[in-house]
Amino acid sequence: MSREKPPSVPYRAPRLPGADALRAQFDSILESGIWNRGPIVSRFEREFAARAGVGDAVLCSSATASLTLLLRADAPEGAIVMPALQFPPVFAALRDSGHEAIFADVDPRFWTARSPSLSRAVETAGVSMKFVSGFLGAPSFGETASCPGGEEWGREHAKPVWFDSCHAFGSSLDGRPSGSFGRAEVFSLTPSKLVIAGEGGVVTTDDQALAEELRALRDYGKRADGTFDPRGASARASEWTAGLALASLSLLGDEIDRRNRVIAVYREELAGTVGIEFQASDDRLMANGQECAIRVDAQACGTNRDRLRSALRAGGVESIPTYLKCLPERRAAFPVACALEAELLHLPLGIDVDERVAQRIARSIAEQVAGETPASPPS
Amino acid sequence: MSREKPPSVPYRAPRLPGADALRAQFDSILESGIWNRGPIVSRFEREFAARAGVGDAVLCSSATASLTLLLRADAPEGAIVMPALQFPPVFAALRDSGHEAIFADVDPRFWTARSPSLSRAVETAGVSMKFVSGFLGAPSFGETASCPGGEEWGREHAKPVWFDSCHAFGSSLDGRPSGSFGRAEVFSLTPSKLVIAGEGGVVTTDDQALAEELRALRDYGKRADGTFDPRGASARASEWTAGLALASLSLLGDEIDRRNRVIAVYREELAGTVGIEFQASDDRLMANGQECAIRVDAQACGTNRDRLRSALRAGGVESIPTYLKCLPERRAAFPVACALEAELLHLPLGIDVDERVAQRIARSIAEQVAGETPASPPS
């Protein structure tokens, strides 16, 4: 069996807290002897909520579990409007909370569903607005702190709005932090994110009653009277998970700065490259640098996403085709989501990627694209 | 607000690995820089499987998540026969895997459902055997390594059998360890158990294909071709969780010995106390000492479970009414499960309970029971 050589520039390499910072967290757990349902989970929840600019955060075992419990607790019966370009497990959360999906195609520049497309999606699905439960936005790729117009759409139609913001923690829009949009937002703590704990998920909300309900639901749905809410699940995270996340949270500012410096190089170097597009951004946005995806327009580039990826790989640089998928069954009705699924490439942003490395990668992309331009016909 | 004084003998206090043992685990994670989907999870799975005497173990985020995925992967469509006395979240796992329940009342001596009651339960439910998916046994309280006759019943009716063995890890029957019964067994790693990791669950099985399927399902149901199995969930546990569990696993033998010595004192001291009963045991059994529950017969004792509990509490001793519930809606049809729900009291087995403490507690129970005997009518 032949094995590929590991890349010299891996796509992902998280910023990990140092041994001393971790030991400080661990020592307090060793001292308390409490491994779950303890003070470190509460402390992490307070600090995470403060960073999100809301009153409450609820730590769970995963983002998908967080979303499932949130929708069980807060989403009225009915169909939930959501972008057609999604991380597929989101769909499992909808099903496990007993909801149908109404997909809205994404905006070709912002790569997420925006306000005008939401009402259109409901209309196309032939669903009466009274059977619509709400809108689950997804500020994907971290180039937005929210989904433009999402909250306004909710207000206009008197529907609740939530955000799957796994890509957005640390971003802000006009100074308003990710985590404070809609009724509630969901985050992930897996190592591909900026704040990490190995595994874990978080719900942020300003609704204290909702937060308390979620704390009960993650704990089997245990009620004070000894009975169990059937919507409950076993979805707690341990004191250790909370300690890891706290150590990581303190590194967030530095990591955002580093990623944004790297992304600035990618954007600058590839600004003039025909056929390579970046996610549209907003002047009011402070992005967290979670992802740096480029759209490879095969016709304009003379090469496609997958060939470009292979070429980079040959030079030791790992990039990945987007893991977001066009989820609807009738894919043809969602041309932008389908196109993006085939054309988006995530560039490396790991801890060992600095501005110099980013420049080298960007130039190699520009060369590939130029190099593959169809030759002029022989004269 | 007045607060109760903490008990001098808490009901639970886990045996925790020492700081050095934990540091050894943590150092290997710090060195690898891998926080999830890494080598420590695999190492824990190998060691746990070896202790269970099977080929495979699959680490998940919780026992309930483990059970949900197991039933999604392995249980044919239909109704699952299970004991009426249950930890209620088990029911959520059935629902989330799309199964109905057929409840069997439990045996008045062994406190779990045994072979003869299973077929009777199916008959009473009016369900044809061909719509029965299988049997989910529960060797509750750790006084059994399996459910007597459960596997035989499965063979007789050609139905798969699984065990919710959260109470049983480390027990064995005729040398056959808990974890090796039925198609698969499910365990928990919460601090109330003997092997702990803060949070977590494990499936043990000898079916390698099933184990691989569960590893894919806990990881969103990701398939090699980039698509997602809709039965998947986000139910991984981190490298840190695996490291904690490994450190705890090495203490299992000592902890089983300590608990069994304490339980022997409880049993011996209360052997002659009228109205106090212990779970029936089997000579072939090596129990793990997970729980020590007594059944308080109110009529014979002159006091009931809850009054006995309060009396112990007044003496600084914490005990808890059983957290297992008689789950069926038509409770009257399950008289034994209902009675046990009202009469079982779990005695303290925490790390600071030694034989001397157990003797004191047992004698205090005996006194309460004797002291509350209805006085003879005045002559």
Side-chain angles (χ1 to χ4, degrees):
Chain A
M1 208 176 86
S2 84
R3 270 179 167 275
E4 246 187 316
K5 224 177 76 182
S8 54
V9 182
Y11 164 61
R12 285 204 196 290
R15 177 187 292 256
L16 299 175
D20 288 346
L22 290 172
R23 265 187 206 125
Q25 295 296 336
F26 295 163
D27 283 347
S28 64
I29 301 173
L30 288 173
E31 202 179 321
S32 75
I34 299 172
W35 283 27
N36 75 345
R37 299 188 178 102
I40 314 292
V41 167
S42 303
R43 198 181 135 205
F44 167 75
E45 292 184 337
R46 281 194 303 276
E47 294 198 11
F48 198 87
R51 190 70 171 75
V54 288
D56 265 295
V58 181
L59 176 63
C60 295
S61 56
S62 75
T64 310
S66 303
L67 182 60
T68 305
L69 295 182
L70 172 61
L71 295 179
R72 284 182 181 174
D74 203 48
E77 220 179 308
I80 293 177
V81 183
M82 58 195 276
L85 190 69
Q86 286 281 355
F87 185 49
V90 169
F91 198 60
L94 250 74
R95 186 207 44 211
D96 288 347
S97 66
H99 292 91
E100 301 284 323
I102 295 175
F103 292 106
D105 204 0
V106 297
D107 181 276
R109 291 180 57 244
F110 284 87
W111 304 353
T112 187
R114 292 159 68 87
S115 161
S117 74
L118 307 184
S119 294
R120 210 160 48 231
V122 174
E123 221 171 280
T124 308
V127 173
S128 155
M129 194 59 85
K130 74 173 172 235
F131 297 119
V132 171
S133 167
F135 170 52
L136 176 63
S140 299
F141 311 104
E143 296 278 316
T144 169
S146 174
C147 290
E151 283 186 317
E152 293 73 9
W153 183 88
R155 270 195 296 277
E156 188 187 330
H157 298 281
K159 299 291 178 190
V161 171
W162 317 272
F163 294 100
D164 169 359
S165 299
C166 288
H167 281 179
F169 194 70
S171 297
S172 61
L173 193 73
D174 265 343
R176 190 176 160 199
S178 175
S180 67
F181 291 81
R183 289 271 306 149
E185 298 194 48
V186 169
F187 299 94
S188 160
L189 301 174
T190 59
S192 60
K193 307 306 183 300
L194 275 71
V195 177
I196 72 176
E199 300 290 352
V202 191
V203 181
T204 57
T205 182
D206 244 337
D207 184 329
Q208 202 190 334
L210 174 60
E212 285 308 324
E213 193 177 355
L214 291 171
R215 288 195 184 98
L217 291 181
R218 77 177 168 192
D219 197 14
Y220 308 120
K222 249 192 249 161
R223 297 191 188 101
D225 67 357
T227 62
F228 289 76
D229 186 323
R231 300 168 305 160
S234 181
R236 299 173 308 275
S238 73
E239 289 285 283
W240 299 96
T241 296
L244 294 161
L246 271 169
S248 173
L249 187 57
S250 69
L251 307 176
L252 176 61
D254 286 353
E255 180 60 3
I256 289 177
D257 292 347
R258 184 190 68 81
R259 287 182 181 231
N260 278 327
R261 286 196 303 272
V262 170
I263 292 174
V265 172
Y266 281 136
R267 284 187 171 253
E268 203 180 298
E269 290 283 335
L270 290 166
T273 306
V274 177
I276 299 291
E277 258 179 76
F278 289 85
Q279 188 179 21
S281 191
D282 190 307
D283 286 346
R284 301 171 305 155
L285 177 80
M286 283 284 298
N288 67 349
Q290 165 68 44
E291 304 286 324
C292 182
I294 53 172
R295 181 175 185 173
V296 183
D297 177 334
Q299 204 144 23
C301 284
T303 186
N304 66 21
R305 190 261 316 267
D306 296 327
R307 273 191 283 150
L308 176 58
R309 182 184 175 220
S310 300
L312 288 172
R313 188 66 179 76
V317 173
E318 185 183 38
S319 59
I320 63 159
T322 191
Y323 43 87
L324 302 192
K325 307 281 176 198
C326 177
L327 277 192
E329 278 180 34
R330 295 179 309 102
R331 290 166 55 97
F334 302 88
V336 183
C338 282
L340 290 172
E341 182 189 311
E343 294 176 0
L344 290 185
L345 187 70
H346 295 250
L347 302 183
L349 281 178
I351 191 72
D352 20 48
V353 178
D354 59 16
E355 289 125 295
R356 201 184 40 80
V357 173
Q359 189 181 56
R360 182 166 66 76
I361 294 170
R363 290 187 179 172
S364 150
I365 291 171
E367 265 169 43
Q368 287 301 323
V369 167
E372 300 251 353
T373 306
S376 358
S379 57
Chain B
M1 210 176 84
S2 83
R3 272 178 165 274
E4 247 187 314
K5 225 178 76 183
S8 55
V9 182
Y11 163 62
R12 283 204 197 290
R15 178 186 291 255
L16 300 174
D20 287 347
L22 290 171
R23 263 185 210 125
Q25 294 296 336
F26 294 162
D27 283 348
S28 64
I29 301 173
L30 288 173
E31 201 180 321
S32 75
I34 299 172
W35 283 27
N36 75 346
R37 299 187 178 101
I40 313 292
V41 166
S42 303
R43 198 181 135 205
F44 168 74
E45 292 183 338
R46 281 194 303 276
E47 295 199 11
F48 198 86
R51 190 70 171 73
V54 288
D56 263 296
V58 181
L59 177 63
C60 295
S61 56
S62 76
T64 311
S66 302
L67 181 59
T68 306
L69 296 182
L70 172 61
L71 295 179
R72 284 182 181 173
D74 204 49
E77 218 177 312
I80 293 177
V81 183
M82 57 195 275
L85 190 69
Q86 285 281 355
F87 185 49
V90 169
F91 198 60
L94 250 75
R95 186 207 45 210
D96 289 347
S97 67
H99 292 91
E100 301 285 323
I102 294 175
F103 293 105
D105 203 0
V106 297
D107 181 276
R109 291 180 56 245
F110 284 88
W111 303 354
T112 187
R114 291 160 69 86
S115 161
S117 75
L118 306 184
S119 294
R120 209 158 51 229
V122 173
E123 219 171 281
T124 308
V127 174
S128 154
M129 196 58 88
K130 74 171 172 235
F131 296 120
V132 170
S133 167
F135 170 52
L136 176 64
S140 298
F141 310 104
E143 296 279 315
T144 168
S146 175
C147 290
E151 283 186 317
E152 293 72 9
W153 181 88
R155 270 195 295 277
E156 188 189 327
H157 297 281
K159 300 290 180 189
V161 170
W162 317 273
F163 294 100
D164 170 359
S165 300
C166 288
H167 281 180
F169 194 70
S171 297
S172 62
L173 192 74
D174 265 342
R176 188 175 160 201
S178 174
S180 66
F181 291 81
R183 289 271 305 147
E185 298 194 49
V186 169
F187 299 93
S188 160
L189 302 174
T190 60
S192 59
K193 308 305 183 298
L194 275 71
V195 176
I196 72 176
E199 300 290 352
V202 191
V203 181
T204 56
T205 183
D206 245 337
D207 183 328
Q208 201 190 335
L210 174 59
E212 285 308 322
E213 193 178 353
L214 292 170
R215 288 195 183 98
L217 291 182
R218 77 177 168 191
D219 198 14
Y220 307 120
K222 250 191 248 161
R223 297 191 188 104
D225 67 357
T227 62
F228 289 76
D229 186 322
R231 300 168 306 160
S234 180
R236 299 173 306 276
S238 72
E239 289 284 282
W240 299 95
T241 296
L244 293 160
L246 271 169
S248 174
L249 187 58
S250 69
L251 307 176
L252 177 61
D254 286 351
E255 180 60 3
I256 290 177
D257 292 345
R258 183 190 69 82
R259 287 182 180 232
N260 279 329
R261 285 196 305 270
V262 169
I263 292 174
V265 172
Y266 281 136
R267 284 187 171 254
E268 201 181 298
E269 290 282 334
L270 290 166
T273 307
V274 176
I276 298 290
E277 257 178 76
F278 289 85
Q279 188 178 21
S281 192
D282 189 308
D283 286 346
R284 302 171 304 156
L285 178 80
M286 283 283 300
N288 67 350
Q290 165 68 44
E291 305 286 325
C292 182
I294 53 173
R295 181 175 185 175
V296 183
D297 178 333
Q299 206 145 23
C301 284
T303 187
N304 66 20
R305 189 262 316 266
D306 297 327
R307 274 192 282 149
L308 177 58
R309 183 184 175 221
S310 299
L312 288 172
R313 188 67 179 73
V317 173
E318 185 183 39
S319 59
I320 64 160
T322 191
Y323 43 86
L324 301 193
K325 308 281 175 198
C326 176
L327 276 191
E329 278 181 34
R330 295 178 311 102
R331 291 165 55 97
F334 303 89
V336 184
C338 281
L340 290 172
E341 181 189 311
E343 294 176 359
L344 290 186
L345 187 69
H346 296 249
L347 301 183
L349 280 179
I351 191 72
D352 20 49
V353 179
D354 59 17
E355 288 125 296
R356 199 183 42 78
V357 173
Q359 189 181 55
R360 182 167 65 76
I361 295 171
R363 292 187 177 172
S364 149
I365 292 171
E367 265 168 43
Q368 287 302 323
V369 167
E372 301 249 354
T373 307
S376 357
S379 58

